[in-house]
Amino acid sequence: MRNFIFYLALILCAITSKLTAQETFESKARAIADKIEQVTLEEKLALKTAVEAVNVRFEKGEITAAQAATEKQALATESAAKIESRVNLLNDELRTLVQEKVNGRIAASDTTKGKRYFSFSFGRNDIKGKKLEYKGEKRTTSQFVFAIGLNNVVTDGSVENSDFRFAGSRFYEWGFTYNTRLFKNDNLLHVKYGMSLMYNDLRPTDNRVFEKQGDQTVLVTSPVNLESARFRNVYLVAPLHLEFDFSKKEVKDDKTLFRTHKSLRLGVGGYAGIRIKSKQKIEYEIDDMEYDQKVKGDFNASNFIYGLSTYIGYRETSLYLKYDLNPLFQNNAIKQNNISLGVRFDLN
């Protein structure tokens, strides 16, 4: 009788240990996957908060547009690095867990709930192990977009002999986009859509500034010697592009996986939106006194903006071109259309 009780106790302990191991693998795997998702959400929220803080400082005039753009780019790069670093640590945990399962220390699934497979997709850190189901990206992904470059106007179909400095006139754009693969089993065509803020700066040549004269807005010579003069329009726009992504598909365990932003990309489309504000800022010095003057108003600028845009590049970085189809000013006798050329970053 004692032997029976002893062996029965051993059997019960073994069964309990096996069930506990099964539950431990599933619960640990789920916990790690939840942590990875939480890390991504936390870092994206932190990036959004930090970018908003930079915008507040810029609006208060504490930093320049160039400084704001540089800080935003640095924040985006730092956020991406933090996500990768934190996720890599969790991937190490998951790989250890999977190895223990492969070695038979932990059961692959909970038999009390039916046979189950786990799938995790972490880009370059995909887990390789038995009974793991590989998955590619979701058909719709999101990106933080930042662009910077040169800005000017097209007059009579040309930008030659422009009234604005080529090196000093710049544009900035930042926003968020969604990227949706159009076909279930083909990775080439995507539709890209979202919301962006566009900042278009123009710096007049020959010591001139913009002046509103009735329904016309013209350049006039300043009565004082200017150290700097800048005219800015800010727009809230909704961009829409058809994107050709030449990232190659992957095949693992007879399963086709799709990735984006891994190879050559080409986008063609346009944008439309509204003007939020216009502002002219001039700086000059008189009798060793420095003056910084800001003038806000409509300047007869077009209230709506719409245009064409395209980009071509590799992975996250692209050469970006956009052209406003609407004139810069509503009623000027000579129509001038804004044009921008720069670098664009689409950060997953």
Side-chain angles (χ1 to χ4, degrees), residues 82-221:
K82 285 183 178 179
I83 291 175
E84 183 175 3
S85 176
R86 294 178 65 183
V87 168
N88 281 342
L89 293 176
L90 294 170
N91 283 343
D92 291 339
E93 291 184 26
L94 190 56
R95 272 190 286 269
T96 301
L97 187 65
V98 172
Q99 189 61 48
E100 290 180 353
K101 181 267 297 180
V102 172
N103 294 338
R105 298 174 186 170
I106 302 178
S109 62
D110 189 346
T111 55
T112 62
K113 298 181 182 179
K115 194 170 184 179
R116 183 176 299 172
Y117 296 92
F118 289 90
S119 62
F120 304 92
S121 178
F122 309 116
R124 292 171 298 193
N125 300 311
D126 289 343
I127 307 301
K128 296 180 179 179
K130 295 180 181 178
K131 298 182 182 179
L132 283 182
E133 178 185 344
Y134 292 95
K135 286 189 177 181
E137 293 179 348
K138 295 180 179 179
R139 286 186 66 174
T140 297
T141 58
S142 60
Q143 297 82 37
F144 173 75
V145 176
F146 175 75
I148 184 172
L150 303 178
N151 191 63
N152 220 287
V153 297
V154 175
T155 305
D156 294 330
S158 175
V159 292
E160 291 183 349
N161 302 317
S162 174
D163 291 324
F164 308 99
R165 292 165 50 192
F166 287 100
S169 301
R170 303 184 183 94
F171 84 95
Y172 311 90
E173 178 182 342
W174 68 272
F176 295 90
T177 61
Y178 290 97
N179 188 12
T180 300
R181 189 171 77 247
L182 291 180
F183 301 108
K184 182 178 180 180
N185 297 316
D186 190 280
N187 198 41
L188 180 61
L189 292 179
H190 298 249
V191 60
K192 197 174 182 73
Y193 50 95
M195 194 69 66
S196 292
L197 278 174
M198 286 184 179
Y199 299 78
N200 292 339
D201 287 359
L202 293 171
R203 293 181 183 267
T205 58
D206 301 328
N207 202 55
R208 292 178 296 176
V209 294
F210 277 111
E211 183 178 280
K212 185 176 179 181
Q213 299 178 355
D215 62 353
Q216 301 281 306
T217 301
V218 297
L219 285 172
V220 298
T221 302

Side-chain angles (χ1 to χ4, degrees), residues 239-241 267-271 307-311 320-323:
L240 177 65
H241 293 93
V268 290
Y271 51 90
L308 302 175
S309 56
T310 183
Y311 54 89
Y320 185 34
L321 174 67
K322 60 187 183 75
Y323 175 71

Side-chain angles (χ1 to χ4, degrees), residues 184-284:
K184 182 178 180 180
N185 297 316
D186 190 280
N187 198 41
L188 180 61
L189 292 179
H190 298 249
V191 60
K192 197 174 182 73
Y193 50 95
M195 194 69 66
S196 292
L197 278 174
M198 286 184 179
Y199 299 78
N200 292 339
D201 287 359
L202 293 171
R203 293 181 183 267
T205 58
D206 301 328
N207 202 55
R208 292 178 296 176
V209 294
F210 277 111
E211 183 178 280
K212 185 176 179 181
Q213 299 178 355
D215 62 353
Q216 301 281 306
T217 301
V218 297
L219 285 172
V220 298
T221 302
S222 172
V224 296
N225 186 34
L226 301 176
E227 293 184 356
S228 174
R230 182 185 68 198
F231 177 70
R232 164 175 291 176
N233 282 322
V234 182
Y235 305 94
L236 178 65
V237 301
L240 177 65
H241 293 93
L242 179 65
E243 183 173 281
F244 298 83
D245 193 322
F246 296 92
S247 300
K248 294 182 179 180
K249 63 183 180 182
E250 302 176 27
V251 178
K252 293 185 178 180
D253 293 345
D254 297 325
K255 186 174 181 65
T256 301
L257 311 180
F258 296 105
R259 313 289 188 197
T260 58
H261 297 76
K262 298 296 182 183
S263 184
L264 181 68
R265 294 185 302 117
L266 169 65
V268 290
Y271 51 90
I274 59 174
R275 180 176 59 86
I276 297 177
K277 66 178 180 180
S278 297
K279 178 175 65 175
Q280 181 166 248
K281 179 180 179 180
I282 59 176
E283 298 175 8
Y284 55 93

